[in-house]
Amino acid sequence: MAYLFTSETVLEGHPDKICDQISDAILDAIIAKDKKAHVAVETLVSTGLVIVCGEITTSCYVDIPTIVRNTIKEIGYTDPNLYFDYRGSGLLIGIKEQSPDIAIGVKEEDLENIGAGDQGIMFGYACDETPELMPLPISLANKLAYRLAQIRKNNVLDYLRPDGKVQITVKYSEIGKPEFVPIVVIAQQHEEKDKKGKTITQERLEEDLVKHAVKPVLGKYFTQETKVIVNGTGRFVLGGPASDTGVTGRKIIADTYGGAAPHGGGCFSGKDPTKVDRSASYMARYIAKNIVAAKLASRCTVQLGYVIGHCQPVSVLVDSHGTGKVSDEKLLELVEKNFRLKPGQIIMDLDLRRPIYKKTACYGHFGREEPEFSWEKTDKAALLQEKANK
């Protein structure tokens, strides 16, 4: 039967995303100087306040207050009238060393055989709905959120403010193929008036966002039937941390597949790659994407399970959801023979000890074919296809 599916994401000025970006900016600064650092940083923001806590073991020094304030400035919180800005907001820092009980499991004597930094389950997913092999709803939502940020920063619409959310609903056919977008929901913070003193009406805001963002991003998926809902209450002037407390790691579904695939529960931001919440999720995506790119399945979910201090995964699952050209048992065999799954091996094979993480902290960790996103490569697709036919 035909059905609707909806995914949501948020803009970089959303309180939770501010926290993700601060946490990953700190991680990047540390890992740029000390590749072996162990980092787990959490951030909280509220009205005029930033709190950074966590566990860091490193041989280097980084200026955390400056990193925090520069990140807030880059996002766009430069006006004290927003009740949260990079100069005036208070900053509390509570950092301690990593627990020695955890450090036992991730000793650096032999990177290839270090243990996982925590127990947990991680999922990766890919499907052939889009060129980047992502579900269409979250792919469009992330692209639209990014577009809204760009037209704000480039002063295409000079009255936009940093906070916002995007929600995309896609209609699928009876055979599960995306047809069009019936509903777009945007919550976009804005000024009371533009730079010329004209009041920003609901009608003008909707017209501007459809013209400059919605239509260009949706392309063929925008039709006469598409309904765009902007700021459901009719007003979104007060926003950001002044209206909603933010915390690192609360947008894990937006970070991944928009609800189209399972999630193990652990967030990514602020964590160095010895934390399998992050690195194993990247590897699971890498595996799933290469299987779909090899045309061995139209959809693929990969689950990896780990235990703290142990290097071998306790479980590996491959599910092609009935779309596989070969059996799931054969796909699992291909995965176990062609992908290295110890945490240290994942770090090496995906080159994860680089300052690449701040860029991942908004607009999705997956579906972005940029140099930092090594887990998006499909360099094993041809090999998998060849091996599957033997």
Side-chain angles (χ1 to χ4, degrees), residues 26 30-31 33-34 101 108 144 155 158 174 228 236 249 265 292 294 300-301 306:
I26 294 169
I30 294 172
I31 210 168
K33 294 183 177 182
D34 179 8
D101 295 342
E108 287 292 326
L144 181 52
N155 287 315
D158 62 13
E174 292 183 355
V228 180
F236 188 10
V292 174
C300 183
T301 298
Y306 291 87

Side-chain angles (χ1 to χ4, degrees), residues 13 73 83 91 136 138 141 148 172 190 193 216 221 228 249 255 291 298 316 340 351 356 361 368 380 382 389-390:
K73 181 180 180 181
Y83 305 104
L91 175 57
L136 183 62
I138 191 63
L148 290 169
Y172 286 81
H190 61 89
K193 298 181 179 181
Y221 295 108
V228 180
D255 284 342
I291 288 172
S298 296
V316 182
R340 305 199 305 165
D351 194 14
I356 59 175
R368 298 167 63 181
K380 291 208 173 186
N389 292 328
K390 288 186 177 180

Side-chain angles (χ1 to χ4, degrees), residues 35-50:
K35 295 183 183 299
K36 295 182 179 181
H38 293 160
V39 180
V41 176
E42 311 286 347
T43 305
L44 179 146
V45 295
S46 189
T47 306
L49 179 64
V50 182

Side-chain angles (χ1 to χ4, degrees), residues 322-335:
T323 70
K325 301 299 189 293
V326 297
S327 69
D328 288 350
E329 290 77 12
K330 178 65 174 179
L331 290 174
L332 177 59
E333 178 186 329
L334 289 170
V335 168

Side-chain angles (χ1 to χ4, degrees), residues 183-199:
I183 302 174
V184 177
V185 179
I186 299 174
Q188 175 62 66
Q189 186 189 16
H190 61 89
E191 304 273 0
E192 294 269 17
K193 298 181 179 181
D194 65 16
K195 295 297 187 287
K196 295 180 180 179
K198 293 184 178 179
T199 299

Side-chain angles (χ1 to χ4, degrees), residues 133-180:
L133 305 184
M134 285 287 286
L136 183 62
I138 191 63
S139 180
L140 290 176
N142 279 325
K143 290 174 181 177
L144 181 52
Y146 179 78
R147 176 83 174 197
L148 290 169
Q150 292 309 300
I151 62 177
R152 170 178 62 86
K153 291 182 174 182
N154 295 329
N155 287 315
V156 175
L157 300 177
D158 62 13
Y159 58 82
L160 299 185
R161 286 178 170 175
D163 197 1
K165 291 184 177 183
V166 171
Q167 188 170 287
I168 298 286
T169 299
V170 172
K171 182 180 179 182
Y172 286 81
S173 69
E174 292 183 355
I175 58 172
K177 297 297 181 182
E179 294 183 331
F180 73 101

Side-chain angles (χ1 to χ4, degrees), residues 12-150:
E12 62 197 64
H14 185 281
D16 293 330
K17 275 293 149 202
I18 296 171
C19 296
D20 288 346
Q21 290 167 93
I22 290 172
S23 295
D24 272 337
I26 294 169
L27 170 62
D28 276 357
I30 294 172
I31 210 168
K33 294 183 177 182
D34 179 8
K35 295 183 183 299
K36 295 182 179 181
H38 293 160
V39 180
V41 176
E42 311 286 347
T43 305
L44 179 146
V45 295
S46 189
T47 306
L49 179 64
V50 182
I51 301 175
V52 177
C53 293
E55 297 77 48
I56 300 175
T57 300
T58 181
S59 60
C60 74
Y61 168 79
V62 298
D63 185 351
I64 290 178
T66 297
I67 293 167
V68 171
R69 296 192 187 281
N70 284 344
T71 302
I72 295 169
K73 181 180 180 181
E74 290 168 10
I75 292 169
Y77 285 97
T78 58
D79 183 356
N81 292 321
L82 298 181
Y83 305 104
F84 180 87
D85 73 289
Y86 77 101
R87 287 170 296 196
S89 294
L91 175 57
L92 298 176
I93 300 174
I95 298 293
K96 57 185 181 293
E97 287 189 341
Q98 184 182 51
S99 162
D101 295 342
I102 296 175
I104 292 171
V106 288
K107 289 181 179 178
E108 287 292 326
E109 297 166 355
D110 177 11
L111 175 58
E112 185 167 344
N113 291 302
I114 64 169
D118 200 353
Q119 70 180 52
I121 55 173
M122 297 83 205
F123 289 92
Y125 180 77
C127 62
D128 60 7
E129 291 179 17
T130 63
E132 59 271 23
L133 305 184
M134 285 287 286
L136 183 62
I138 191 63
S139 180
L140 290 176
N142 279 325
K143 290 174 181 177
L144 181 52
Y146 179 78
R147 176 83 174 197
L148 290 169
Q150 292 309 300

